[in-house]
């Protein structure tokens, strides 16, 4: 008897189809299970905070919880393991504020050994396991136990007004930018008085430029008019450049006391051109390099502009629309940049205020973030201005009420003030209080000067390393 065709061909084919279908379902089921068991997403902060010989602070940012709630998070570290895990030394963070993401992890590392290199990274765990950020390296000092910063008032009474005189006899009204020349003299953009003031190293204040009325007039310094001047910078020839915020121009005050417009038309806009054919929109911070190029934090245009010594204006980085993008040139994005500084190699640093970040721009226009970011507002809280010392350390005036140093070794020190606590108190470190600090400058001796805007005075900080 012949075997039925169905039995010889179709029946085996049916079994094969069923087997394939079963395996397919099995694979699909496995894939679905895997996709629902994901680890948290976490990054490690590149900076170490308040490093001493035996202590440090490290942390990270959690941007995703994964497939289940976060059960623990913190920082693990080791002196021998370059990729530490929770099997090494670990410090758990407080999970109280982790109900909403992104969340910041911050941990104090104690009991460290002096003059020792450590490796640290942030971690976060859920029911699926533990995720880690990248490892960062730091070395404790051999004998340094900390920095002590003493804050005093160089000039200003604390009350808004206009008066020249010594120390507390002087009055300012919402001072903005500050700059220091080679002789240690301080220049202040006295914003609401529409003047530029001069303060000698001893704290005696005098008039420098502006007659005090809001306007836009060139000529002799005493007769010139400004409109809410902000950032300023001194060059090696004794000229002072001013970001005339309300007039949307960059002004020049010669050593002979003559005020003119260096760049900008006086009308808000975003035009690259030469001299008065160019346009700015509420320029804020200024910086100058060794070649005489001036860099402008063009706040209203969300861009960093460059002006050559011949007055030619170009855009170094940024685009008019606010954002937070690390890229090159006009592909990068900032959010209301307020301060700039430039180092000996031509790198420009930006107080990207709206993003609570410090950004770096190479001479080729490549933008990166070196500190802070939109999710890290406790690390930096609306930085308003920055300055560099001769070693390349960055000093930051933070609107949250602190003065901060970011060293070339990627260590962040809170020099003075307390986050989101305003006041007018002189003293050491966190004892000292500020109210909306704006401009900042550093002299050749390492003294730091801050325009303490809402306290209407100029504060002086001296930093001492304590063994």
């Amino acid at each position: 008897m012949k075997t039925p065709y169905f039995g010889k061909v179709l029946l085996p084919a049916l079994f094969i189809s069923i087997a394939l279908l079963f395996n397919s379902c099995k694979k699909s089921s496995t894939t679905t299970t895997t996709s629902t068991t994901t680890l948290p997403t976490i990054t490690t902060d590149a900076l170490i905070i308040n490093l001493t010989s035996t202590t440090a602070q490290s942390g990270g940012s959690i941007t995703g919880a994964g497939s289940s709630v976060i059960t623990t998070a913190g920082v693990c570290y080791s002196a021998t393991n370059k990729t530490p895990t929770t099997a090494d030394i670990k410090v758990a963070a407080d999970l109280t504020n982790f109900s909403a993401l992104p969340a910041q992890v911050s941990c104090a590392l104690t009991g460290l050994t002096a003059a020792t290199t450590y490796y640290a990274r942030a971690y976060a765990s859920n029911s699926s396991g533990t995720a880690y950020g990248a490892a960062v390296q730091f070395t404790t000092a051999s004998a340094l136990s900390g920095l002590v910063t003493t804050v005093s008032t160089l000039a200003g009474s604390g009350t808004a007004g206009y008066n020249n005189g010594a120390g507390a006899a002087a009055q300012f009204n919402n001072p903005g930018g500050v700059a220091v020349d080679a002789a240690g003299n301080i220049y202040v953009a006295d914003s609401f008085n529409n003047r530029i003031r001069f303060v000698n190293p001893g704290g005696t204040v005098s008039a420098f430029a502006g007659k005090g009325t809001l306007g836009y007039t060139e000529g002799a310094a005493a007769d010139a008019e400004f409109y809410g001047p902000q950032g300023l910078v001194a060059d090696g020839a004794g000229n002072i450049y001013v970001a005339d915020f309300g007039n949307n121009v960059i002004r020049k005050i010669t050593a002979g006391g003559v005020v003119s417009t260096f760049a900008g038309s006086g009308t808000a806009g975003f035009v690259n051109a030469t001299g008065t054919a160019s346009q700015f929109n509420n320029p804020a911070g200024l910086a100058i390099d060794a070649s005489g190029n001036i860099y402008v934090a063009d706040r209203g245009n969300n861009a960093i502009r460059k002006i050559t010594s011949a007055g030619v204006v170009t855009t170094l980085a940024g685009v008019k629309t606010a954002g937070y993008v690390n890229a090159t040139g006009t592909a990068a994005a900032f959010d209301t940049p307020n301060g700039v500084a430039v180092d000996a190699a031509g790198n420009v640093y930006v107080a990207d205020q709206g993003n609570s970040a410090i950004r770096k721009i190479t001479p080729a226009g490549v933008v990166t973030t070196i500190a802070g970011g939109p999710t890290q507002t406790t690390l930096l809280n609306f930085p308003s201005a920055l300055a560099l010392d001769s070693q390349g350390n960055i000093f930051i005036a933070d609107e949250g009420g602190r003065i901060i140093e970011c060293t070339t070794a990627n260590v962040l020190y809170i020099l003075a003030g307390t986050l989101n606590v305003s006041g007018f108190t002189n003293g050491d470190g966190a004892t000292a209080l500020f109210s909306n600090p704006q401009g900042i400058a550093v002299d050749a001796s390492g003294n730091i000067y801050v325009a303490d805007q809402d306290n209407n005075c100029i504060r002086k900080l001296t930093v001492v390393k304590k063994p």
Side-chain angles (χ1 to χ4, degrees), residues 138-149:
F138 64 94
T139 301
T140 54
S142 57
L144 177 65
S145 62
L147 299 179
V148 174
T149 305

Side-chain angles (χ1 to χ4, degrees), residues 20 24 103 105 112 128 141 145 172 176 187 194 225 228 230 292 296 363 415-416 427 434 437:
L20 289 173
S24 174
V105 174
L112 306 179
S128 301
S145 62
F172 300 89
Y187 300 85
N194 298 298
E225 291 179 318
Q230 291 293 318
V296 183
L415 298 180
F434 302 83

Side-chain angles (χ1 to χ4, degrees), residues 195-333:
R195 300 177 191 259
I196 308 303
R197 312 287 289 279
F198 176 90
V199 187
N200 71 17
T204 299
V205 181
S206 58
F208 185 74
K211 66 180 181 180
T213 53
L214 184 154
Y216 185 20
T217 303
E218 316 277 33
D223 299 322
E225 291 179 318
F226 298 87
Y227 185 176
Q230 291 293 318
L232 36 72
V233 68
D235 70 11
N239 302 301
I240 304 296
Y241 296 87
V242 180
D244 196 355
F245 188 87
N247 283 321
N248 300 296
V249 295
I250 309 303
R251 313 286 287 277
K252 178 180 179 179
I253 310 170
T254 68
V258 177
V259 179
S260 61
T261 297
F262 184 60
S265 68
T267 301
F270 194 1
V271 176
N272 289 321
T274 300
T276 55
S278 63
Q279 289 185 330
F280 299 87
N281 188 357
N282 293 149
L286 297 182
I288 190 167
D289 67 17
S291 300
N293 299 302
I294 294 174
Y295 300 89
V296 183
D298 194 3
R299 182 181 171 92
N301 283 324
N302 297 299
I304 307 304
R305 316 285 290 280
K306 177 181 178 180
I307 314 173
T308 69
S309 56
V312 179
V313 179
T314 55
T315 300
L316 179 65
V319 65
K320 193 168 184 177
T321 303
Y324 181 60
V325 179
N326 286 320
T328 300
T330 55

Side-chain angles (χ1 to χ4, degrees), residues 75-79 84-91 110-112 118 123:
V75 173
C76 54
Y77 63 98
S78 171
T85 69
T86 52
D88 295 297
I89 305 171
K90 67 179 185 292
V91 180
T110 60
L112 306 179
Y118 286 90
Y123 71 87

